[in-house]
Amino acid sequence: MTVRSSFPWQGCCVSLILVALIGNIEAGRESPAEELFHSGYEAVHVTRLHRYEHEGMASFLEAEARWSAHEEIGSTLLSRARPRQKLERRPQGFVRVSKLQEAALKAHQAAFLEVTFNSSVSATAGRFRSSDALLRYHSLTVPDETHPAETRLTSLESQYIGQIGVGSVLSPRGCQPSESLIYLGPADYQAASEEQKKACHVKDESLVWVVFDTGSTNIWVSSVLCQEGPCASSSRNRYNRSNSRTYSPAAKSGLLQIEFGTGRITGPEAVDDFHIGPFSVYNQTFGMIQTEEGRVFEEIPVEGILGLAFPAMAANGIRPFVDGIIQNKAIGRNEFAFYFSHAFQPRGGPCPEFGTFQPEGAGRWMSGRQGRRILECRGPDDVAGNAIFWGGVDRAFYSGDIEYFPVVEPYYWAVQLKDFKIGQDSLLHLLLPEEEQTGLEHLSHRSQKQARGEQTTFKAIVDTGTTFFTAQGRLFKEVMNRLTAAPCSSLTEQSHPDITYTLVNTAGEARDFVLTNKQYMLHGGEGEDVECTPAFMMIQVPAAHGPGMVLGEVFLRIYFAVFDRGSGAVQEARLGLAPAMHDTSAKSRLKGLTAHQPVYHRPTTS
């Protein structure tokens, strides 16, 4: 149990155990510039996340119930009990998304392959609607952001949802506080003694389920201010500022707005404390959801958004959540890491049995000094088995070493993209508008590439809030022309060769991330002849922050990723990557680490 000395009316809870731990961590820390690989130190806390794929609340709750059960899906008993016919009907090894997501992606691809990128469209490429009052969920757009195929796809992006606490109240109700109180979060309360539960203590005013998003700095929480629509439902957990002893009004009044796919959120700002496991971020400014417009909110189990991007993206000078962690020295090492569940099989055929894993013979590049091979035979995917690690990592969830790549522009979590290849063909130059080739036609392809490379830094944006890989303009068309949709069973290394992203590490060295067709082709259906579709969507990175490509959560299912702010200065930011592990031991480890965390449930409606 974590014990804190608390003064809830002043919003200055202090974790005695955590402070001591943080002091030890900081004392032995190297300078970020001296590190090429992560040291492997353990996280302060792990928050379990659920990947919502828009298959409905019944599916969502069923997955949560399975997670909370004490059975291991990969066990021998359950493997034997599983109907083998059903397993065999599903394409072996390819990325799986929901049927709705697959249909939306196909519609998006078809729509934008028909777009003629004329001068009028090119003139708006990379721009996005913005003002002091209107913010986008992501600062990324497409040439025609009003196109129904685009808004539908944005509404159906995967969301990684986890629980946080907001505000502070005294419990039991009516108790008299002393100078020193203990804070009991959800996990703390389960482990507390009856005496501690009966004593006056601090708990969260609200526990809400939010989307953790590295592609924005938006912080929104569902609130009782909402009087109609989805956010007014009694099945939603909602923050009540009137109950919180640590609430204070924001310095600036007025309504904020953001777009969320086909919907829109509006509400006023507030200031309160946020709690995640054993640590707190005090005096955090956020938006209280007052209205939700759009059907997208009727079935998405989201009660807020927690953006994890940089101050340069923040509106109205609001301190981002990560900077709040840094200022509060909340977790010692200013980093967080994502682990996403995944399942796929090796090129040689399916695994002998789900729940086992073995090395793929040909091997793939993986970051690290030892150069081990990526293991490509995995256990079953589990949408409830994802996590964010705070202040460190856990070696059970990745293989080899975590290698660092410096952030080249602290707006997005963007690293230098040196090359992008399909097979052996370099295509990165196609990110540039065609007009930039004026005067270069007489040069060879290699000379054109070198000339452009001297002037342009291409970026790879790593974003948990974008589901797929992205490309823009001519590159998107070229990808779609080369990697066509086809029956999954018909794909070969010749028809759909490996793709390679080449990134630049902290030592200035190039590192290739090679993905097989099973790692970039996806499906949402079942059956022997089910079609596989390239996991690419058309997105324009704003001109001020591009040109670039987004490595979305499909990429992050394959690679464990550390988002590190160093001492806190944005120029020290770096991204760490290593192949993710998806065997049954990783799943068991995650269950153990998050055993006392609640599963998602909704209050019974009256």
Side-chain angles (χ1 to χ4, degrees):
M1 183 184 70
T2 302
V3 181
R4 296 184 214 177
S5 173
S6 308
F7 301 91
W9 55 89
Q10 296 176 357
C12 54
C13 304
V14 178
S15 173
L16 300 179
I17 294 176
L18 195 58
V19 166
L21 174 62
I22 288 169
N24 293 334
I25 291 173
E26 290 182 331
R29 180 163 193 170
E30 296 181 52
S31 168
E34 300 172 358
E35 295 177 309
L36 181 59
F37 300 98
H38 194 285
S39 300
Y41 37 77
E42 291 189 1
V44 170
H45 179 67
V46 182
T47 301
R48 185 181 65 87
L49 307 177
H50 188 119
R51 180 172 70 243
Y52 183 64
E53 297 181 323
H54 304 270
E55 293 188 300
M57 279 304 301
S59 175
F60 184 96
L61 295 173
E62 181 184 349
E64 286 288 284
R66 285 198 306 270
W67 180 264
S68 65
H70 294 294
E71 301 168 322
E72 286 294 332
I73 294 179
S75 70
T76 303
L77 178 63
L78 288 181
S79 295
R80 290 174 180 171
R82 184 183 294 107
R84 187 167 296 277
Q85 231 179 3
K86 186 173 182 180
L87 284 177
E88 292 174 348
R89 291 178 55 211
R90 206 171 258 183
Q92 296 295 306
F94 297 94
V95 177
R96 187 183 182 278
V97 295
S98 70
K99 291 181 180 179
L100 278 175
Q101 290 176 310
E102 181 191 34
L105 178 62
K106 288 183 175 181
H108 165 95
Q109 292 170 341
F112 289 109
L113 283 176
E114 297 173 0
V115 172
T116 300
F117 292 92
N118 55 35
S119 57
S120 62
V121 174
S122 296
T124 62
R127 295 182 185 176
F128 55 99
R129 298 186 311 185
S130 64
S131 68
D132 290 340
L134 178 62
L135 308 174
R136 293 185 60 81
Y137 175 51
H138 278 77
S139 301
L140 302 170
T141 188
V142 293
D144 179 9
E145 63 180 7
T146 63
H147 197 292
E150 165 56 20
T151 54
R152 181 187 177 205
L153 180 63
T154 306
S155 299
L156 294 174
E157 298 262 31
S158 296
Q159 279 100 35
Y160 284 84
I161 302 168
Q163 190 182 67
I164 65 171
V166 184
S168 308
V169 296
L170 294 178
S171 182
R173 180 175 296 183
C175 71
Q176 296 300 313
S178 61
E179 287 190 6
S180 182
L181 297 169
I182 62 170
Y183 165 86
L184 296 179
D188 296 332
Y189 192 82
Q190 290 187 38
S193 67
E194 287 302 315
E195 182 180 356
Q196 289 170 326
K197 292 177 181 178
K198 292 177 181 179
C200 197
H201 62 271
V202 180
K203 70 174 185 177
D204 303 293
E205 193 287 318
S206 299
L207 292 167
V208 294
W209 293 79
V210 300
V211 176
F212 289 85
D213 176 29
T214 64
S216 77
T217 54
N218 298 310
I219 308 176
W220 288 85
V221 172
S222 182
S223 79
V224 296
L225 297 178
C226 182
Q227 298 297 311
E228 60 182 1
C231 58
S233 171
S234 59
S235 66
R236 299 288 177 96
N237 299 295
R238 301 193 295 167
Y239 167 77
N240 188 340
R241 60 184 173 182
S242 299
N243 292 339
S244 178
R245 286 181 169 247
T246 46
Y247 160 79
S248 61
K252 296 181 180 179
S253 59
L255 294 179
L256 293 176
Q257 301 182 52
I258 65 164
E259 293 178 353
F260 192 102
T262 57
R264 177 177 296 187
I265 296 173
T266 62
E269 291 180 343
V271 179
D272 212 327
D273 297 346
F274 281 52
H275 313 289
I276 299 179
F279 73 89
S280 298
V281 174
Y282 308 116
N283 301 313
Q284 179 63 57
T285 302
F286 64 100
M288 295 182 290
I289 298 175
Q290 187 170 11
T291 64
E292 287 180 340
E293 302 173 20
R295 294 185 60 184
V296 63
F297 298 110
E298 293 178 6
E299 56 93 22
I300 291 180
V302 171
E303 295 159 351
I305 302 169
L306 192 65
L308 301 169
F310 291 91
M313 192 186 290
N316 302 327
I318 295 174
R319 182 192 69 186
F321 184 76
V322 175
D323 289 80
I325 289 177
I326 294 167
Q327 289 182 15
N328 284 274
K329 298 183 178 181
I331 55 178
R333 297 180 184 272
N334 302 315
E335 66 178 56
F336 53 93
F338 280 94
Y339 171 81
F340 291 164
S341 62
H342 184 41
F344 56 95
Q345 278 72 50
R347 292 176 178 175
C351 297
E353 187 172 29
F354 278 80
T356 65
F357 81 119
Q358 58 190 30
E360 192 270 340
R364 313 250 30 94
W365 176 87
M366 80 180 258
S367 173
R369 289 162 287 203
Q370 300 168 11
R372 300 183 220 159
R373 294 169 177 170
I374 289 181
L375 302 176
E376 287 201 348
C377 194
R378 312 288 183 170
D381 194 4
D382 192 332
V383 294
N386 312 278
I388 180 169
F389 296 77
W390 302 98
V393 298
D394 190 299
R395 292 185 181 275
F397 298 91
Y398 63 91
S399 180
D401 295 307
I402 299 171
E403 188 166 4
Y404 282 125
F405 300 82
V407 171
V408 293
E409 183 191 8
Y411 184 82
Y412 300 111
W413 285 93
V415 299
Q416 184 177 351
L417 177 61
K418 187 173 183 179
D419 203 359
F420 170 74
K421 294 190 294 187
I422 296 180
Q424 298 302 312
D425 296 337
S426 176
L427 303 173
L428 191 61
H429 64 282
L430 295 178
L431 278 179
L432 293 173
E434 197 165 3
E435 54 266 25
E436 290 193 22
Q437 295 187 29
T438 303
L440 295 176
E441 287 84 353
H442 64 285
L443 299 177
S444 67
H445 171 74
R446 181 178 295 274
S447 296
Q448 287 185 36
K449 179 182 171 184
Q450 290 173 346
R452 281 187 293 269
E454 292 174 359
Q455 303 169 14
T456 305
T457 298
F458 296 95
K459 301 178 179 72
I461 298 169
V462 181
D463 180 18
T464 62
T466 298
T467 299
F468 308 107
F469 301 100
T470 79
Q472 61 190 59
R474 296 180 300 144
L475 180 56
F476 174 75
K477 287 188 173 182
E478 188 67 20
V479 168
M480 296 304 298
N481 286 336
R482 291 179 180 238
L483 307 177
T484 58
C488 299
S489 59
S490 72
L491 303 189
T492 67
E493 293 182 37
Q494 290 70 41
S495 67
H496 293 75
D498 294 348
I499 64 174
T500 304
Y501 292 89
T502 303
L503 309 181
V504 179
N505 69 9
T506 53
E509 301 167 339
R511 289 288 182 263
D512 289 339
F513 288 75
V514 183
L515 308 179
T516 69
N517 54 34
K518 289 190 174 182
Q519 295 168 318
Y520 68 77
M521 298 292 286
L522 60 80
H523 70 93
E526 298 180 359
E528 295 181 0
D529 297 323
V530 68
E531 186 173 77
C532 273
T533 301
F536 277 83
M537 64 184 291
M538 166 69 186
I539 277 187
Q540 296 282 164
V541 176
H545 308 290
M549 305 175 74
V550 177
L551 304 179
E553 62 101 354
V554 170
F555 177 82
L556 292 173
R557 296 187 198 187
I558 305 167
Y559 288 97
F560 185 90
V562 178
F563 299 77
D564 190 343
R565 284 284 299 272
S567 68
V570 294
Q571 60 268 26
E572 294 182 11
R574 56 191 179 173
L575 183 76
L577 295 171
M581 297 290 286
H582 298 97
D583 57 347
T584 52
S585 63
K587 180 176 179 180
S588 296
R589 175 66 172 162
L590 183 57
K591 282 199 170 190
L593 290 170
T594 62
H596 295 296
Q597 295 179 21
V599 295
Y600 182 94
H601 73 277
R602 286 194 161 177
T604 304
T605 56
S606 55

